[in-house]
């Protein structure tokens, strides 16, 4: 089932299906290593609609909540 | 002279590579966005000199903020590129590598952090990588210097491969996938204690208490190192110096030179804060009042920067900073501004939009007390008790928060979300920390001392020609009538524009009550930044935004001064 990465709980892991968003957004995420087929793990979710910390390829990144909501994952592992 | 430009993703160690190659020192840290401008240096290769340029980090050749634009400009000027890549994260770094290769400039690849890659179980076949990219690949460890003689020897082999054609995004990622599959092997890594600490310090419920404890400990450490240096190093040095200064004073005899060099003697003695001579106050203020805290602050900051903690702090403060029209990365300019506002305003470059940069610069100038401002606050209020000092800082904090909330509404434009890479924790290298601290201290001395001398000189001249009286008269309605301060305090505000710390000696003789002094020091902090900060704001924001920021500062000072008068003095 498709869902945004923000629906994962802290520590949850899944595979990225696609990035919903414009060319620039996909490009920016790609350059930072966040791409389709990559396994993504949620390291932390901050309250009050705060940022989400994700890990891809052993690298942690802090993303704003709206950005993270545009990362679409498949079923959780 | 041929130009060699260092290009690479943020936080891969370009600045350390630059220092290694040129022997010149530039500030390097463990967070993305340390370098916001370029630095130039030279190295000799055979008989020829080469110019080396350290560019800010960038993820791609399409810039998304001001410092990435600088990187692209530098790329345009390059005759040869040293592409510095992080060996622990090769796949992602290759994106920029391919983009650079498509531009047909000679390139050599430095695979930095080679030791860390080995430790984390990443094996890269260098020969295969060279064959894939058709350029020389040299493994390096910038911090220790491993691989550098190799890198320098092979610079001439740099080439622009005809084999690599311009590609679109998905073709590029396909190519990278192929290369990685071919050259890299990763053995599985177990969770370590470092990972555990890393996660605890970035998760909200554990991270916030850790952040509070860390900041509290850092502030305590700065004040402990500062006061210890003053008590055991600088004050003893100045007691040795006093007889010399008195000797010079007697030798000069009364007259203009004595007034200028030594200043007023108070009860026949030199008062380093109030005498206002070039050889007394002019050297005491920078060396004995500010320098100890500069040393303390920058050594603690260097440890912070190199550990990799700052991006975690930026994550934790993100939600709060959005209320001020920035995102969490804004904490980094604010932090740097605590040492000196100038590098703070410069660091705001890493923020993406004009709105964010404007707010960051204005907030720093208004309400982030640099070490000179802190020295002033401590110098004036220290003898009256900690309560008054806390009052000043509490006011500044309230001003920071409310100005941020207001500016967020007033300033038009976007505040995009945070998108920040979190580097692994690294143990700060003591030698690097000392070197970096020393560079910043030297910078402080070079910047501050000319202005201090100028300030001392100006004070003497202005008093002599009666300007002080005249100006006091003009501003009396505001200073006396609105802020409830003696009109002579106007001069302190004027001189504060050159150097905040000089104002101490001008406020103390006025016989103000402690609460009046609280108002005066708070106003001195917020009404205007010093001339150095002005210059950098002008450069970074442009004249129109600088005037807007200045108007906001003056307005804030007016309101805050009036409110403080009513609250503190009750009249």
């Amino acid at each position: 089932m498709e869902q945004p990465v923000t629906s994962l709980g802290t520590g949850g892991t899944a595979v990225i299906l696609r990035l919903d968003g414009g060319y620039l957004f996909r490009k920016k995420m790609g350059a930072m290593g966040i791409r389709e087929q990559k396994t993504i793990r949620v390291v932390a979710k901050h309250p009050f609609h705060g940022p989400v910390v994700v890990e891809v390829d052993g690298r942690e990144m802090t993303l704003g909540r709206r950005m993270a909501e545009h990362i679409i994952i498949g079923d959780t592992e | 002279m041929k130009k060699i430009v260092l290009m690479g993703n943020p936080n891969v160690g370009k600045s350390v590579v630059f220092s290694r190659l040129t022997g010149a020192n530039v500030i390097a840290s463990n967070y993305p966005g340390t370098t916001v401008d370029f630095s130039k240096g030279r190295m000799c290769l055979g008989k020829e000199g080469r110019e080396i340029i350290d560019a800010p980090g960038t993820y791609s050749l399409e810039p998304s903020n001001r410092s990435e634009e600088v990187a692209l400009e530098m790329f345009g000027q390059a005759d040869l590129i040293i592409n510095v890549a992080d060996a622990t994260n090769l796949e992602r770094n290759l994106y920029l590598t391919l983009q650079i290769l498509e531009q047909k400039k000679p390139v050599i690849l430095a695979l930095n952090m080679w030791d860390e890659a080995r430790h984390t179980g990443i094996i890269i076949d260098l020969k295969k990588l060279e064959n894939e990219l058709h350029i020389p690949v040299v493994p390096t460890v910038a911090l220790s210097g491993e691989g550098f003689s190799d890198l320098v020897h092979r610079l001439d082999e740099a080439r622009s491969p005809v084999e690599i054609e311009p590609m679109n995004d998905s073709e590029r990622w396909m190519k990278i996938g192929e290369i990685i599959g071919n050259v890299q092997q990763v053995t599985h890594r177990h969770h370590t204690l470092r990972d555990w600490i890393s996660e605890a310090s970035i998760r909200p419920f554990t991270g916030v208490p850790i952040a509070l404890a860390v900041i509290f400990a850092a502030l305590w450490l700065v004040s402990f190192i500062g006061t210890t240096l003053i008590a055991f190093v600088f004050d003893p040095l100045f007691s040795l110096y006093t007889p010399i200064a008195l000797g010079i004073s007697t030798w000069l005899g009364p007259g203009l030179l004595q007034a200028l060099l030594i200043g007023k003697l108070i009860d026949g003695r030199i008062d380093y804060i109030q005498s206002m001579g070039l050889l007394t106050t002019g050297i005491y203020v920078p060396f004995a009042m500010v320098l100890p805290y500069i040393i303390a602050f920058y050594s603690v900051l260097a440890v912070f920067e190199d550990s990799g903690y700052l991006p975690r702090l930026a994550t934790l403060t993100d939600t709060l900073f959005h209320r001020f029209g920035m995102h969490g990365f804004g904490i980094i300019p604010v932090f740097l501004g605590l040492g000196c506002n100038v590098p703070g305003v410069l660091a705001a470059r890493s923020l993406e939009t004009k709105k964010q940069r404007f707010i960051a610069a204005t907030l720093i100038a208004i309400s982030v007390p640099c070490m000179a401002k802190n020295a002033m606050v401590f110098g004036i209020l220290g003898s009256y008790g900690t309560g008054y000092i806390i009052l000043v800082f509490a006011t500044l904090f309230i001003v920071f928060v409310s100005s941020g909330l207001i500016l967020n509404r007033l300033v038009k434009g976007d505040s995009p979300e945070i998108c920040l890479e979190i580097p692994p924790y690294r143990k700060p290298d003591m030698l690097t920390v000392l070197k970096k601290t020393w560079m910043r201290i030297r910078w402080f001395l070079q910047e501050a001392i000319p202005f201090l001398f100028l300030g001392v000189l100006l004070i003497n001249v202005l008093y002599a020609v009666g300007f002080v009286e005249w100006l006091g008269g003009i501003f009396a309605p505001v200073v006396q009538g609105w802020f409830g301060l003696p009109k002579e305090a106007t001069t302190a505000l004027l001189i504060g524009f050159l150097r905040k710390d000089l104002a101490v000696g001008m406020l103390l003789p006025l016989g103000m009550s402690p609460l009046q002094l609280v108002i005066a020091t708070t106003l001195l902090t917020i009404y205007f930044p010093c001339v150095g900060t002005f210059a950098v704001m002008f450069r970074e924001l442009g004249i129109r935004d600088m005037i807007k920021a200045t108007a906001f500062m003056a307005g804030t000072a007016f309101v805050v001064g009036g409110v403080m008068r009513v609250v503190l003095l009750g009249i």
Side-chain angles (χ1 to χ4, degrees), chain A residues 27 35 41 43 59 62, chain B residues 62 88 91 199 203 420:
Chain A
K27 199 166 176 74
R35 289 183 294 126
R41 187 171 75 95
V43 177
R59 280 299 159 125
T62 298
Chain B
E62 291 99 14
T88 65
E91 179 171 355
E199 294 190 356
R203 285 187 172 141
L420 180 65

Side-chain angles (χ1 to χ4, degrees), chain B residues 291-304:
Chain B
L291 184 62
Y293 287 103
I294 290 275
I295 297 173
F297 176 80
Y298 280 126
S299 42
V300 173
L301 179 72
V303 172
F304 254 77

Side-chain angles (χ1 to χ4, degrees), chain B residues 34-86:
Chain B
T34 307
T35 310
V36 293
D37 208 341
F38 60 87
S39 318
K40 287 184 177 183
R42 293 180 65 157
M43 68 172 281
C44 288
L45 194 70
K47 283 175 199 152
E48 289 171 81
R50 298 279 171 97
E51 186 171 49
I52 306 229
I53 300 174
D54 180 25
T58 181
Y59 289 107
S60 71
L61 290 180
E62 291 99 14
S64 68
N65 62 37
R66 180 71 195 106
S67 52
E68 293 191 0
E69 283 168 22
V70 175
L72 197 67
E73 274 167 44
M74 294 304 113
F75 177 74
Q77 297 179 11
D79 299 306
L80 190 156
I81 306 282
I82 299 179
N83 176 205
V84 184
D86 174 355

